Amino acid sequence: MKVRDSGMPGQDMWETFFDPLDIFDNLGLVDPAGIIVDLGSGYGTFTLPAAQIFKKSQIVGIDIEPDLNHDVIARAQAAGINNLTTRTCDFVRDGTGMDSDSTDMVLLFNILHADNPVALLKEAFRILKPGAVTAIIHWNYDPSTPRGPRMEIRPKPDQVLAWAAQAGFAVPASAIPVACFHYGFLATKLDS
């Protein structure tokens, strides 16, 4: 099952909307020296930069599109990146297939307009180790953004915070601006 239409243009245009390193910095992300999973890795917009700066970690990009995963691996090899792998699966419908409590960070970037965002957040929660975080960003709830999902499926920051809390995460009081067109926050899986 593909995620509902996100208004995602071609790769060249898509990547002009983001500065992944600034977003990582604005979220306060640090290398967990473990496994980082990017759910809905797409063109590798965040997957490849994560592999470049979080060198102590193994990055796993998961997407439903085998061609996109192949392209991400080819780009990683061309750049000499060796801490990145991809997996092709329908994680929205079937889950990631990863073990519970096995990952050190999950990236949920521009994907929570999916049909069942709480199930997606619950899967992220399930695979995270206690104390680990899910980094979440999404398009501002603003029709003047240059792209992004249709407004009727685009979540507001308060909705995403509530969904993350419903999935079991500890969440901050509010989301913060992380880029020109995006808000975000860290959701933490507390120790049991």
Side-chain angles (χ1 to χ4, degrees), residues 128-142:
L128 279 172
K129 294 176 181 175
V133 298
T134 290
I136 297 170
I137 73 164
H138 212 290
W139 289 93
N140 291 336
Y141 192 79
D142 178 354

Side-chain angles (χ1 to χ4, degrees), residues 75-147:
R75 290 172 60 201
Q77 289 172 342
I81 296 170
N82 59 13
N83 63 331
L84 188 151
T85 59
T86 61
R87 296 178 61 194
T88 302
C89 74
D90 187 343
F91 59 85
V92 173
R93 185 188 70 207
D94 303 326
T96 60
M98 299 184 75
D99 292 336
S100 296
D101 303 321
S102 64
T103 63
D104 300 278
M105 184 186 301
V106 173
L107 306 180
L108 289 175
F109 287 3
N110 298 314
I111 194 164
L112 291 177
H113 55 278
D115 284 324
N116 191 343
V118 175
L120 190 52
L121 284 155
K122 285 182 177 180
E123 178 64 4
F125 186 90
R126 184 189 69 77
I127 67 173
L128 279 172
K129 294 176 181 175
V133 298
T134 290
I136 297 170
I137 73 164
H138 212 290
W139 289 93
N140 291 336
Y141 192 79
D142 178 354
S144 69
T145 57
R147 285 287 194 226

Side-chain angles (χ1 to χ4, degrees), residues 20 52 54-55 79 81 103:
Q52 290 171 322
F54 301 135
K55 295 180 185 296
I81 296 170
T103 63

Side-chain angles (χ1 to χ4, degrees), residues 13-179:
M13 178 183 278
W14 179 252
E15 292 184 351
T16 66
F17 299 131
F18 310 101
D19 183 333
L21 302 182
D22 276 351
I23 290 172
F24 295 161
D25 189 51
N26 291 338
L27 286 168
L29 299 182
V30 295
D31 192 341
I35 298 172
I36 300 172
V37 176
D38 184 6
L39 292 178
S41 51
Y43 298 128
T45 305
F46 299 99
T47 318
L48 289 160
Q52 290 171 322
I53 65 164
F54 301 135
K55 295 180 185 296
K56 296 178 185 173
S57 290
Q58 178 63 39
I59 315 303
V60 181
I62 303 179
D63 203 275
I64 194 170
E65 297 287 347
D67 291 343
L68 289 177
N69 287 332
H70 174 76
D71 290 347
V72 167
I73 290 299
R75 290 172 60 201
Q77 289 172 342
I81 296 170
N82 59 13
N83 63 331
L84 188 151
T85 59
T86 61
R87 296 178 61 194
T88 302
C89 74
D90 187 343
F91 59 85
V92 173
R93 185 188 70 207
D94 303 326
T96 60
M98 299 184 75
D99 292 336
S100 296
D101 303 321
S102 64
T103 63
D104 300 278
M105 184 186 301
V106 173
L107 306 180
L108 289 175
F109 287 3
N110 298 314
I111 194 164
L112 291 177
H113 55 278
D115 284 324
N116 191 343
V118 175
L120 190 52
L121 284 155
K122 285 182 177 180
E123 178 64 4
F125 186 90
R126 184 189 69 77
I127 67 173
L128 279 172
K129 294 176 181 175
V133 298
T134 290
I136 297 170
I137 73 164
H138 212 290
W139 289 93
N140 291 336
Y141 192 79
D142 178 354
S144 69
T145 57
R147 285 287 194 226
R150 299 180 320 272
M151 293 307 294
E152 60 267 19
I153 65 169
R154 191 182 304 199
K156 296 176 182 176
D158 288 345
Q159 288 174 305
V160 178
L161 286 158
W163 292 336
Q166 184 181 348
F169 287 103
V171 298
S174 61
I176 60 170
V178 294

